[in-house]
Amino acid sequence: MITVQKFGGTSVGSAQRIAGVADLAVAASARGEKTVVVTSAMGGVTSTLVAAAERATQGNWNFDERPMLAERHDAAARALFGDDARLLAMVREQLDHGLERVDSLCFGLSLVRELTPRILDAISGTGEMLAAPILAAAISSRGVASEAIHATELIVTDDQFGDAEPLAAETRAKTQGRLVPLLQAGVIPVVTGFIGATAGGVTTTLGRGGSDFSATILGAALEADEVWIWTDVDGVMTANPADVPDARTMRAISYSEASELAYYGAKVLHHKTINPVQFARIPVRILNTTNPDGQGTRITFEGHPSPTGVKAITSIRNVSLVSVSGRGMQGIPGIAARAFGAIAAERANVLMISQASSENNICVVVRSEDEARVVRSLRAALEFDIMKEHIDDVTADDSIAVIAAIGDRMAGTPGIAAKVFGALGAENINVIAISQGSSERNISLVVSESDASRAVRVIHEAFALGRKN
Ligand code: ASP
Ligand code: MG
Protein backbone atom coordinates (compact mmCIF):
# COMPACT_ATOMS: atom_id res chain seq x y z
CA MET A 1 0.00 0.00 0.00
CA ILE A 2 1.29 3.45 -0.95
CA THR A 3 0.03 6.49 0.93
CA VAL A 4 0.90 10.13 0.51
CA GLN A 5 0.60 11.88 3.86
CA LYS A 6 0.55 15.64 4.02
CA PHE A 7 1.18 17.62 7.19
CA GLY A 8 0.08 21.25 7.45
CA GLY A 9 1.85 24.21 9.04
CA THR A 10 0.42 23.73 12.53
CA SER A 11 1.26 20.01 12.42
CA VAL A 12 4.93 20.90 11.91
CA GLY A 13 4.77 24.14 13.91
CA SER A 14 7.14 23.14 16.73
CA ALA A 15 9.74 20.51 17.65
CA GLN A 16 7.11 18.68 19.65
CA ARG A 17 4.65 18.63 16.76
CA ILE A 18 7.35 17.54 14.30
CA ALA A 19 8.22 14.67 16.65
CA GLY A 20 4.57 13.58 16.52
CA VAL A 21 4.60 13.69 12.72
CA ALA A 22 7.84 11.69 12.57
CA ASP A 23 6.24 9.08 14.86
CA LEU A 24 3.23 8.80 12.53
CA ALA A 25 5.50 8.32 9.51
CA VAL A 26 7.60 5.71 11.31
CA ALA A 27 4.46 3.87 12.44
CA ALA A 28 3.23 3.70 8.84
CA SER A 29 6.52 2.25 7.74
CA ALA A 30 6.37 -0.29 10.59
CA ARG A 31 2.94 -1.37 9.25
CA GLY A 32 4.68 -2.06 5.95
CA GLU A 33 3.14 0.89 4.13
CA LYS A 34 5.17 2.82 1.62
CA THR A 35 4.79 6.41 2.64
CA VAL A 36 5.55 9.70 0.95
CA VAL A 37 5.41 12.63 3.37
CA VAL A 38 4.51 16.10 2.11
CA THR A 39 5.23 18.96 4.44
CA SER A 40 4.09 22.57 4.71
CA ALA A 41 6.33 25.29 6.04
CA MET A 42 6.28 25.66 9.84
CA GLY A 43 3.12 27.60 10.74
CA GLY A 44 3.38 31.32 9.97
CA VAL A 45 6.65 31.07 8.02
CA THR A 46 5.15 31.56 4.54
CA SER A 47 3.37 34.73 5.66
CA THR A 48 6.60 36.00 7.26
CA LEU A 49 8.45 35.45 3.99
CA VAL A 50 5.73 37.23 2.00
CA ALA A 51 5.92 40.18 4.42
CA ALA A 52 9.70 40.30 4.06
CA ALA A 53 9.35 40.38 0.27
CA GLU A 54 6.85 43.22 0.50
CA ARG A 55 9.08 45.26 2.77
CA ALA A 56 12.09 44.66 0.53
CA THR A 57 10.03 46.00 -2.36
CA GLN A 58 9.57 49.19 -0.37
CA GLY A 59 13.33 49.53 -0.21
CA ASN A 60 14.24 47.71 3.00
CA TRP A 61 17.31 45.73 1.95
CA ASN A 62 17.72 44.03 5.30
CA PHE A 63 16.07 40.62 5.68
CA ASP A 64 15.18 41.48 9.27
CA GLU A 65 13.31 38.27 9.93
CA ARG A 66 16.30 36.09 9.09
CA PRO A 67 17.68 35.67 12.64
CA MET A 68 14.21 34.86 13.98
CA LEU A 69 13.52 32.30 11.25
CA ALA A 70 17.00 30.81 11.62
CA GLU A 71 16.58 30.41 15.36
CA ARG A 72 13.07 28.97 15.12
CA HIS A 73 14.19 26.21 12.73
CA ASP A 74 17.51 25.66 14.46
CA ALA A 75 15.83 25.33 17.85
CA ALA A 76 13.50 22.69 16.43
CA ALA A 77 16.46 20.83 14.93
CA ARG A 78 18.43 20.95 18.20
CA ALA A 79 15.46 19.71 20.19
CA LEU A 80 14.77 16.87 17.76
CA PHE A 81 18.24 15.49 16.98
CA GLY A 82 20.73 17.80 18.69
CA ASP A 83 22.71 14.80 19.91
CA ASP A 84 23.44 13.67 16.38
CA ALA A 85 26.17 16.02 15.15
CA ARG A 86 26.08 14.67 11.59
CA LEU A 87 22.31 15.17 11.15
CA LEU A 88 22.43 18.58 12.81
CA ALA A 89 25.26 19.80 10.55
CA MET A 90 23.48 18.53 7.46
CA VAL A 91 20.22 20.27 8.35
CA ARG A 92 21.97 23.50 9.35
CA GLU A 93 23.63 23.66 5.97
CA GLN A 94 20.25 23.43 4.25
CA LEU A 95 18.67 26.03 6.54
CA ASP A 96 21.52 28.38 5.83
CA HIS A 97 21.28 27.81 2.13
CA GLY A 98 17.52 28.51 2.06
CA LEU A 99 17.76 31.66 4.17
CA GLU A 100 20.73 32.94 2.20
CA ARG A 101 18.69 32.60 -0.96
CA VAL A 102 15.82 34.65 0.49
CA ASP A 103 18.35 37.20 1.72
CA SER A 104 19.77 37.66 -1.78
CA LEU A 105 16.34 37.81 -3.39
CA CYS A 106 15.19 40.46 -0.90
CA PHE A 107 18.34 42.48 -1.52
CA GLY A 108 17.64 42.35 -5.26
CA LEU A 109 14.04 43.37 -4.66
CA SER A 110 15.09 46.37 -2.59
CA LEU A 111 17.04 47.58 -5.62
CA VAL A 112 14.50 46.96 -8.38
CA ARG A 113 11.46 47.59 -6.16
CA GLU A 114 9.12 45.52 -8.22
CA LEU A 115 7.60 42.40 -6.72
CA THR A 116 6.63 40.12 -9.60
CA PRO A 117 4.69 36.91 -8.90
CA ARG A 118 7.76 35.05 -10.13
CA ILE A 119 10.06 36.50 -7.49
CA LEU A 120 7.39 36.18 -4.83
CA ASP A 121 7.18 32.44 -5.57
CA ALA A 122 10.93 32.04 -5.22
CA ILE A 123 10.74 33.69 -1.80
CA SER A 124 7.46 32.35 -0.41
CA GLY A 125 8.24 28.78 -1.49
CA THR A 126 11.35 28.67 0.69
CA GLY A 127 9.49 27.91 3.92
CA GLU A 128 8.84 24.33 2.86
CA MET A 129 12.53 23.91 1.98
CA LEU A 130 13.41 24.86 5.55
CA ALA A 131 10.91 22.47 7.12
CA ALA A 132 11.50 19.36 4.98
CA PRO A 133 15.11 18.64 6.03
CA ILE A 134 14.17 18.93 9.71
CA LEU A 135 11.31 16.47 9.37
CA ALA A 136 13.40 14.06 7.28
CA ALA A 137 16.17 14.16 9.87
CA ALA A 138 13.65 13.59 12.67
CA ILE A 139 12.45 10.46 10.87
CA SER A 140 16.03 9.27 10.23
CA SER A 141 16.88 9.78 13.89
CA ARG A 142 14.09 7.31 14.68
CA GLY A 143 15.87 4.66 12.65
CA VAL A 144 13.94 4.80 9.37
CA ALA A 145 15.81 6.12 6.33
CA SER A 146 14.35 9.38 5.05
CA GLU A 147 15.33 11.98 2.48
CA ALA A 148 14.16 15.58 2.01
CA ILE A 149 13.23 16.31 -1.59
CA HIS A 150 12.35 19.60 -3.25
CA ALA A 151 9.13 19.28 -5.22
CA THR A 152 10.83 21.34 -7.94
CA GLU A 153 12.36 17.98 -8.90
CA LEU A 154 8.95 16.29 -9.12
CA ILE A 155 6.04 18.61 -9.91
CA VAL A 156 6.19 20.24 -13.33
CA THR A 157 3.82 23.19 -13.73
CA ASP A 158 2.89 25.90 -16.19
CA ASP A 159 4.26 29.39 -15.59
CA GLN A 160 1.22 30.90 -13.90
CA PHE A 161 3.32 32.06 -10.94
CA GLY A 162 1.44 32.24 -7.66
CA ASP A 163 -1.24 29.83 -8.86
CA ALA A 164 0.53 27.32 -11.05
CA GLU A 165 -1.20 24.36 -12.68
CA PRO A 166 0.55 20.98 -12.70
CA LEU A 167 1.29 19.22 -15.98
CA ALA A 168 0.21 15.65 -15.30
CA ALA A 169 2.28 13.59 -17.73
CA GLU A 170 5.57 15.37 -17.02
CA THR A 171 4.93 15.27 -13.28
CA ARG A 172 4.15 11.57 -13.36
CA ALA A 173 7.38 10.74 -15.19
CA LYS A 174 9.57 12.80 -12.86
CA THR A 175 7.81 11.72 -9.67
CA GLN A 176 7.90 8.03 -10.48
CA GLY A 177 11.50 8.23 -11.61
CA ARG A 178 12.63 9.91 -8.41
CA LEU A 179 10.35 8.48 -5.72
CA VAL A 180 9.66 4.87 -6.71
CA PRO A 181 13.29 3.71 -6.20
CA LEU A 182 13.31 5.37 -2.77
CA LEU A 183 10.04 3.72 -1.76
CA GLN A 184 11.31 0.36 -2.93
CA ALA A 185 14.41 0.82 -0.80
CA GLY A 186 12.23 1.56 2.26
CA VAL A 187 13.17 5.24 2.38
CA ILE A 188 10.51 7.78 3.41
CA PRO A 189 10.74 10.77 1.06
CA VAL A 190 9.79 14.08 2.70
CA VAL A 191 8.67 16.35 -0.12
CA THR A 192 8.18 20.11 0.11
CA GLY A 193 4.52 21.02 -0.38
CA PHE A 194 3.34 24.19 -2.09
CA ILE A 195 6.02 24.42 -4.78
CA GLY A 196 6.79 23.06 -8.21
CA ALA A 197 8.84 24.21 -11.14
CA THR A 198 8.27 25.04 -14.78
CA ALA A 199 9.70 22.71 -17.41
CA GLY A 200 12.63 25.15 -17.53
CA GLY A 201 13.24 24.69 -13.80
CA VAL A 202 11.92 28.01 -12.45
CA THR A 203 10.25 27.66 -9.03
CA THR A 204 6.48 28.17 -8.96
CA THR A 205 3.89 27.90 -6.19
CA LEU A 206 0.45 26.32 -6.28
CA GLY A 207 -1.28 29.13 -4.36
CA ARG A 208 -1.57 29.73 -0.61
CA GLY A 209 -2.55 26.58 1.22
CA GLY A 210 -1.31 24.63 -1.80
CA SER A 211 0.40 21.77 0.04
CA ASP A 212 -2.88 19.84 0.04
CA PHE A 213 -2.81 20.10 -3.73
CA SER A 214 0.83 18.96 -3.77
CA ALA A 215 -0.20 15.82 -1.91
CA THR A 216 -2.92 14.83 -4.37
CA ILE A 217 -0.72 15.71 -7.37
CA LEU A 218 1.91 13.30 -6.02
CA GLY A 219 -0.73 10.73 -5.06
CA ALA A 220 -2.05 10.68 -8.61
CA ALA A 221 1.45 10.59 -10.11
CA LEU A 222 2.34 7.57 -7.97
CA GLU A 223 -1.06 5.89 -8.31
CA ALA A 224 -1.14 5.85 -4.52
CA ASP A 225 -3.81 3.89 -2.66
CA GLU A 226 -4.78 6.83 -0.50
CA VAL A 227 -3.87 10.44 0.22
CA TRP A 228 -4.05 11.52 3.82
CA ILE A 229 -4.24 15.20 4.68
CA TRP A 230 -3.26 15.76 8.28
CA THR A 231 -4.49 19.00 9.73
CA ASP A 232 -5.48 20.44 13.09
CA VAL A 233 -9.22 19.78 12.94
CA ASP A 234 -11.17 16.53 12.98
CA GLY A 235 -12.21 16.69 9.35
CA VAL A 236 -14.64 18.53 7.13
CA MET A 237 -17.54 19.94 9.11
CA THR A 238 -21.18 20.60 8.29
CA ALA A 239 -20.54 24.31 8.89
CA ASN A 240 -17.90 26.59 10.34
CA PRO A 241 -18.15 26.02 14.12
CA ALA A 242 -17.57 29.76 14.58
CA ASP A 243 -21.00 30.26 12.96
CA VAL A 244 -22.68 27.10 14.18
CA PRO A 245 -21.59 25.75 17.56
CA ASP A 246 -23.19 22.34 17.02
CA ALA A 247 -21.58 21.76 13.60
CA ARG A 248 -20.50 18.17 13.12
CA THR A 249 -17.61 16.40 11.37
CA MET A 250 -18.80 14.52 8.30
CA ARG A 251 -17.49 10.95 8.05
CA ALA A 252 -17.77 10.65 4.29
CA ILE A 253 -18.25 13.08 1.45
CA SER A 254 -17.89 12.84 -2.31
CA TYR A 255 -15.26 14.46 -4.50
CA SER A 256 -17.79 16.91 -5.84
CA GLU A 257 -18.99 17.87 -2.39
CA ALA A 258 -15.41 18.36 -1.24
CA SER A 259 -14.68 20.58 -4.23
CA GLU A 260 -17.79 22.68 -3.69
CA LEU A 261 -16.95 23.03 -0.01
CA ALA A 262 -13.35 23.97 -0.65
CA TYR A 263 -14.43 26.50 -3.21
CA TYR A 264 -17.11 27.94 -0.97
CA GLY A 265 -14.93 28.81 1.91
CA ALA A 266 -14.64 25.73 4.17
CA LYS A 267 -10.95 26.35 4.72
CA VAL A 268 -10.00 22.73 5.25
CA LEU A 269 -8.76 22.06 1.73
CA HIS A 270 -7.08 24.03 -1.03
CA HIS A 271 -9.76 24.36 -3.70
CA LYS A 272 -7.89 22.33 -6.34
CA THR A 273 -7.03 19.43 -4.04
CA ILE A 274 -9.55 17.02 -5.47
CA ASN A 275 -8.76 17.57 -9.15
CA PRO A 276 -5.75 15.24 -9.49
CA VAL A 277 -7.29 12.26 -7.67
CA GLN A 278 -10.80 12.46 -9.07
CA PHE A 279 -10.12 10.60 -12.29
CA ALA A 280 -8.17 7.76 -10.68
CA ARG A 281 -10.66 7.66 -7.80
CA ILE A 282 -7.98 7.68 -5.14
CA PRO A 283 -9.61 8.21 -1.72
CA VAL A 284 -8.53 11.21 0.36
CA ARG A 285 -8.76 11.30 4.14
CA ILE A 286 -8.73 14.40 6.30
CA LEU A 287 -7.20 13.57 9.67
CA ASN A 288 -6.25 15.43 12.84
CA THR A 289 -2.65 15.22 14.09
CA THR A 290 -3.83 16.09 17.59
CA ASN A 291 -6.40 13.28 17.47
CA PRO A 292 -4.68 10.69 15.27
CA ASP A 293 -7.08 7.89 16.21
CA GLY A 294 -10.14 9.86 15.13
CA GLN A 295 -11.89 8.74 11.96
CA GLY A 296 -11.69 12.08 10.18
CA THR A 297 -13.47 12.58 6.87
CA ARG A 298 -13.09 10.21 3.97
CA ILE A 299 -13.52 11.67 0.50
CA THR A 300 -14.40 9.25 -2.28
CA PHE A 301 -16.16 9.23 -5.60
CA GLU A 302 -19.44 7.96 -4.11
CA GLY A 303 -19.33 9.82 -0.80
CA HIS A 304 -22.32 9.21 1.43
CA PRO A 305 -25.36 11.10 0.16
CA SER A 306 -27.57 12.65 2.77
CA PRO A 307 -31.26 11.71 2.62
CA THR A 308 -32.27 15.35 3.08
CA GLY A 309 -30.10 16.40 0.16
CA VAL A 310 -28.04 19.02 1.92
CA LYS A 311 -24.82 18.01 3.68
CA ALA A 312 -23.13 21.23 4.63
CA ILE A 313 -23.57 24.99 4.72
CA THR A 314 -20.68 27.32 4.09
CA SER A 315 -20.13 31.02 3.88
CA ILE A 316 -17.58 33.20 2.17
CA ARG A 317 -16.73 36.60 3.49
CA ASN A 318 -14.45 39.25 2.02
CA VAL A 319 -16.37 39.16 -1.22
CA SER A 320 -18.09 41.93 -3.17
CA LEU A 321 -21.21 42.00 -5.27
CA VAL A 322 -20.53 43.83 -8.51
CA SER A 323 -23.62 44.77 -10.52
CA VAL A 324 -24.01 46.00 -14.04
CA SER A 325 -27.47 47.46 -14.32
CA GLY A 326 -29.66 49.48 -16.61
CA ARG A 327 -33.09 49.19 -18.12
CA GLY A 328 -31.61 49.64 -21.57
CA MET A 329 -29.75 46.31 -21.31
CA GLN A 330 -32.82 44.32 -22.27
CA GLY A 331 -32.41 42.43 -25.48
CA ILE A 332 -29.01 43.88 -26.31
CA PRO A 333 -26.76 40.96 -27.08
CA GLY A 334 -23.13 40.83 -26.12
CA ILE A 335 -23.20 42.78 -22.86
CA ALA A 336 -22.66 39.69 -20.75
CA ALA A 337 -19.88 38.51 -23.03
CA ARG A 338 -18.08 41.83 -22.82
CA ALA A 339 -18.62 42.04 -19.08
CA PHE A 340 -17.14 38.60 -18.44
CA GLY A 341 -14.32 39.27 -20.88
CA ALA A 342 -13.44 42.38 -18.89
CA ILE A 343 -13.47 40.44 -15.62
CA ALA A 344 -11.34 37.64 -17.08
CA ALA A 345 -8.84 40.19 -18.39
CA GLU A 346 -8.25 41.15 -14.76
CA ARG A 347 -7.73 37.50 -13.87
CA ALA A 348 -10.37 37.90 -11.18
CA ASN A 349 -12.16 34.76 -10.13
CA VAL A 350 -15.96 34.89 -10.33
CA LEU A 351 -17.52 33.06 -7.38
CA MET A 352 -21.13 33.44 -8.38
CA ILE A 353 -23.16 34.86 -11.24
CA SER A 354 -26.79 35.84 -11.36
CA GLN A 355 -29.01 37.51 -13.90
CA ALA A 356 -32.73 37.88 -13.62
CA SER A 357 -34.76 37.15 -16.75
CA SER A 358 -35.84 40.78 -16.91
CA GLU A 359 -32.23 41.34 -17.98
CA ASN A 360 -32.01 44.62 -16.12
CA ASN A 361 -29.08 43.56 -14.09
CA ILE A 362 -26.16 41.15 -14.19
CA CYS A 363 -24.39 40.61 -10.92
CA VAL A 364 -21.26 38.74 -10.06
CA VAL A 365 -19.51 38.03 -6.81
CA VAL A 366 -15.74 38.49 -6.74
CA ARG A 367 -13.14 38.63 -3.97
CA SER A 368 -13.13 42.08 -2.39
CA GLU A 369 -9.42 42.43 -3.17
CA ASP A 370 -10.35 42.27 -6.88
CA GLU A 371 -13.33 44.63 -6.63
CA ALA A 372 -11.70 47.92 -7.62
CA ARG A 373 -9.91 46.38 -10.60
CA VAL A 374 -13.05 44.60 -11.78
CA VAL A 375 -15.21 47.73 -11.56
CA ARG A 376 -12.61 49.78 -13.42
CA SER A 377 -12.27 47.17 -16.12
CA LEU A 378 -16.05 46.80 -16.51
CA ARG A 379 -16.54 50.55 -16.81
CA ALA A 380 -13.89 50.71 -19.49
CA ALA A 381 -15.22 47.73 -21.44
CA LEU A 382 -18.82 48.96 -21.29
CA GLU A 383 -18.05 52.62 -21.82
CA PHE A 384 -19.97 52.80 -25.05
CA ASP A 385 -23.09 51.19 -23.54
CA ILE A 386 -22.91 53.53 -20.58
CA MET A 387 -22.66 56.47 -22.96
CA LYS A 388 -25.69 55.25 -24.89
CA GLU A 389 -27.51 54.75 -21.59
CA HIS A 390 -28.07 51.04 -22.14
CA ILE A 391 -26.29 50.68 -18.86
CA ASP A 392 -26.82 53.04 -15.94
CA ASP A 393 -23.84 52.09 -13.90
CA VAL A 394 -21.44 49.52 -12.57
CA THR A 395 -21.68 49.39 -8.80
CA ALA A 396 -20.08 47.35 -6.05
CA ASP A 397 -21.03 46.38 -2.53
CA ASP A 398 -18.50 44.79 -0.22
CA SER A 399 -20.73 44.43 2.82
CA ILE A 400 -22.10 41.08 1.64
CA ALA A 401 -21.39 37.39 2.11
CA VAL A 402 -22.15 34.32 0.00
CA ILE A 403 -23.88 31.42 1.71
CA ALA A 404 -23.97 28.05 -0.02
CA ALA A 405 -25.92 24.90 0.76
CA ILE A 406 -24.06 21.90 -0.62
CA GLY A 407 -24.88 18.24 -1.22
CA ASP A 408 -24.88 15.68 -4.06
CA ARG A 409 -28.42 14.52 -3.42
CA MET A 410 -29.76 18.01 -3.90
CA ALA A 411 -29.84 17.13 -7.58
CA GLY A 412 -33.35 16.00 -8.31
CA THR A 413 -34.65 16.44 -4.76
CA PRO A 414 -37.53 18.91 -4.85
CA GLY A 415 -38.26 21.33 -2.04
CA ILE A 416 -34.72 22.14 -1.02
CA ALA A 417 -34.77 25.72 -2.22
CA ALA A 418 -38.15 26.20 -0.53
CA LYS A 419 -36.72 24.98 2.75
CA VAL A 420 -33.64 27.21 2.47
CA PHE A 421 -35.64 30.33 1.69
CA GLY A 422 -38.40 29.44 4.15
CA ALA A 423 -35.82 29.25 6.94
CA LEU A 424 -34.33 32.60 5.98
CA GLY A 425 -37.76 34.21 5.59
CA ALA A 426 -38.85 33.04 9.02
CA GLU A 427 -35.81 34.79 10.46
CA ASN A 428 -36.35 37.95 8.45
CA ILE A 429 -33.08 37.57 6.60
CA ASN A 430 -33.07 39.40 3.31
CA VAL A 431 -31.69 37.55 0.28
CA ILE A 432 -29.96 39.87 -2.18
CA ALA A 433 -29.17 37.45 -5.03
CA ILE A 434 -29.57 33.76 -5.72
CA SER A 435 -27.90 31.26 -7.96
CA GLN A 436 -28.05 27.53 -8.49
CA GLY A 437 -25.73 25.77 -10.85
CA SER A 438 -27.30 23.21 -13.12
CA SER A 439 -25.26 20.51 -11.38
CA GLU A 440 -27.75 21.16 -8.57
CA ARG A 441 -25.14 20.37 -5.97
CA ASN A 442 -25.13 23.87 -4.62
CA ILE A 443 -27.56 26.68 -3.98
CA SER A 444 -25.73 29.95 -3.38
CA LEU A 445 -27.18 33.14 -2.12
CA VAL A 446 -25.96 36.59 -1.26
CA VAL A 447 -26.94 38.15 2.05
CA SER A 448 -25.73 41.16 3.94
CA GLU A 449 -22.50 40.34 5.77
CA SER A 450 -24.11 41.18 9.10
CA ASP A 451 -26.70 38.43 8.48
CA ALA A 452 -24.21 35.80 7.33
CA SER A 453 -23.65 33.93 10.58
CA ARG A 454 -27.35 33.80 11.39
CA ALA A 455 -28.17 32.68 7.86
CA VAL A 456 -25.76 29.75 8.08
CA ARG A 457 -27.16 28.80 11.46
CA VAL A 458 -30.81 28.77 10.45
CA ILE A 459 -30.24 26.78 7.25
CA HIS A 460 -28.06 24.30 9.17
CA GLU A 461 -30.90 23.96 11.65
CA ALA A 462 -33.58 23.61 8.96
CA PHE A 463 -31.79 20.57 7.53
CA ALA A 464 -31.07 19.14 10.96
CA LEU A 465 -27.34 18.94 10.30
CA GLY A 466 -26.25 19.55 13.89
CA ARG A 467 -24.67 17.27 16.41
CA LYS A 468 -27.76 16.84 18.54
CA ASN A 469 -29.74 15.56 15.59
N1 ASP B 1 3.00 27.12 3.31
C1 ASP B 1 2.02 27.46 2.32
C2 ASP B 1 1.03 28.46 2.88
O1 ASP B 1 1.12 28.82 4.04
C3 ASP B 1 1.34 26.25 1.76
C4 ASP B 1 0.58 25.40 2.75
O2 ASP B 1 0.83 25.46 3.95
O3 ASP B 1 -0.25 24.62 2.32
O4 ASP B 1 0.18 28.91 2.19
MG1 MG C 1 -4.13 24.34 4.71
Side-chain angles (χ1 to χ4, degrees):
M1 159 141 160
I2 300 181
T3 57
V4 175
Q5 302 198 35
K6 177 258 169 177
F7 296 90
T10 338
S11 305
V12 294
S14 65
Q16 199 196 353
R17 301 297 301 268
I18 295 173
V21 169
D23 289 339
L24 286 168
V26 168
S29 130
R31 290 193 300 269
E33 292 164 18
K34 295 186 166 52
T35 307
V36 174
V37 170
V38 175
T39 185
S40 285
M42 291 179 82
V45 170
T46 311
S47 300
T48 303
L49 292 169
V50 171
E54 280 163 356
R55 279 185 319 95
T57 313
Q58 277 143 30
N60 181 338
W61 50 268
N62 239 334
F63 175 22
D64 297 328
E65 297 84 350
R66 180 169 179 169
M68 180 273 283
L69 287 173
E71 176 51 23
R72 183 165 171 208
H73 289 86
D74 199 78
R78 290 194 308 271
L80 284 158
F81 41 82
D83 51 355
D84 187 327
R86 191 189 59 89
L87 275 182
L88 193 60
M90 205 170 76
V91 167
R92 280 184 168 157
E93 194 190 317
Q94 306 211 40
L95 292 178
D96 225 46
H97 185 257
L99 290 168
E100 187 56 36
R101 204 173 89 111
V102 175
D103 210 328
S104 313
L105 287 164
C106 283
F107 182 68
L109 265 177
S110 73
L111 298 178
V112 295
R113 306 243 187 143
E114 187 192 356
L115 183 53
T116 60
R118 183 178 176 130
I119 297 178
L120 183 59
D121 278 1
I123 294 175
S124 67
T126 307
E128 276 67 12
M129 301 185 192
L130 303 177
I134 300 179
L135 178 51
I139 295 171
S140 305
S141 74
R142 283 163 168 71
V144 178
S146 177
E147 187 178 331
I149 295 172
H150 292 175
T152 46
E153 289 185 56
L154 311 177
I155 298 180
V156 185
T157 71
D158 66 7
D159 62 357
Q160 173 72 33
F161 293 96
D163 189 21
E165 272 296 325
L167 307 176
E170 291 86 337
T171 299
R172 170 182 292 258
K174 284 202 160 191
T175 302
Q176 291 199 353
R178 181 78 168 92
L179 297 188
V180 170
L182 291 178
L183 291 174
Q184 273 162 355
V187 177
I188 299 183
V190 176
V191 181
T192 57
F194 188 41
I195 60 173
T198 63
V202 184
T203 303
T204 53
T205 69
L206 305 170
R208 291 305 304 269
S211 300
D212 302 336
F213 192 23
S214 309
T216 52
I217 292 169
L218 296 175
L222 288 170
E223 293 166 27
D225 295 282
E226 292 199 359
V227 176
W228 296 2
I229 309 239
W230 290 92
T231 170
D232 52 359
V233 293
D234 273 333
V236 186
M237 302 189 74
T238 52
N240 182 343
D243 289 327
V244 184
D246 72 338
R248 200 170 37 78
T249 303
M250 293 179 279
R251 292 251 171 283
I253 59 177
S254 70
Y255 290 142
S256 47
E257 287 167 343
S259 297
E260 298 272 0
L261 281 163
Y263 196 70
Y264 279 96
K267 289 211 184 57
V268 188
L269 284 182
H270 181 276
H271 67 278
K272 292 183 190 163
T273 307
I274 297 305
N275 301 354
V277 289
Q278 199 151 13
F279 182 70
R281 301 196 179 182
I282 300 169
V284 177
R285 274 178 204 274
I286 314 294
L287 297 160
N288 186 352
T289 25
T290 61
N291 177 21
D293 299 325
Q295 296 190 31
T297 301
R298 195 175 148 84
I299 310 173
T300 56
F301 180 76
E302 301 79 16
H304 179 72
S306 142
T308 63
V310 173
K311 289 198 66 167
I313 317 296
T314 65
S315 61
I316 329 185
R317 270 100 163 170
N318 303 320
V319 287
S320 295
L321 182 70
V322 176
S323 315
V324 175
S325 40
R327 229 159 302 168
M329 278 163 66
Q330 264 174 45
I332 297 192
I335 291 186
R338 264 176 294 138
F340 288 110
I343 297 170
E346 289 299 321
R347 290 203 151 280
N349 209 354
V350 175
L351 296 160
M352 176 177 157
I353 303 171
S354 130
Q355 178 188 314
S357 60
S358 71
E359 299 178 41
N360 285 340
N361 171 309
I362 300 174
C363 56
V364 296
V365 175
V366 296
R367 305 249 170 231
S368 291
E369 66 201 42
D370 295 334
E371 177 195 302
R373 280 186 303 123
V374 166
V375 170
R376 215 178 312 121
S377 170
L378 282 169
R379 287 202 175 123
L382 300 170
E383 195 183 0
F384 191 61
D385 307 81
I386 296 174
M387 208 173 75
K388 288 180 102 178
E389 297 182 348
H390 293 154
I391 292 175
D392 297 334
D393 202 6
V394 179
T395 53
D397 179 356
D398 67 358
S399 64
I400 56 126
V402 174
I403 310 293
I406 286 157
D408 280 348
R409 266 285 169 82
M410 286 167 66
T413 306
I416 290 178
K419 208 159 166 181
V420 169
F421 295 108
L424 295 172
E427 282 288 317
N428 253 319
I429 296 171
N430 185 38
V431 177
I432 301 167
I434 303 169
S435 130
Q436 176 184 298
S438 59
S439 75
E440 294 183 49
R441 291 199 168 92
N442 166 337
I443 296 179
S444 309
L445 37 105
V446 175
V447 297
S448 154
E449 192 164 18
S450 56
D451 286 334
S453 235
R454 213 156 45 95
V456 172
R457 211 156 47 238
V458 299
I459 303 172
H460 195 265
E461 179 74 43
F463 288 93
L465 298 175
R467 216 177 291 136
K468 57 182 183 294
N469 300 294

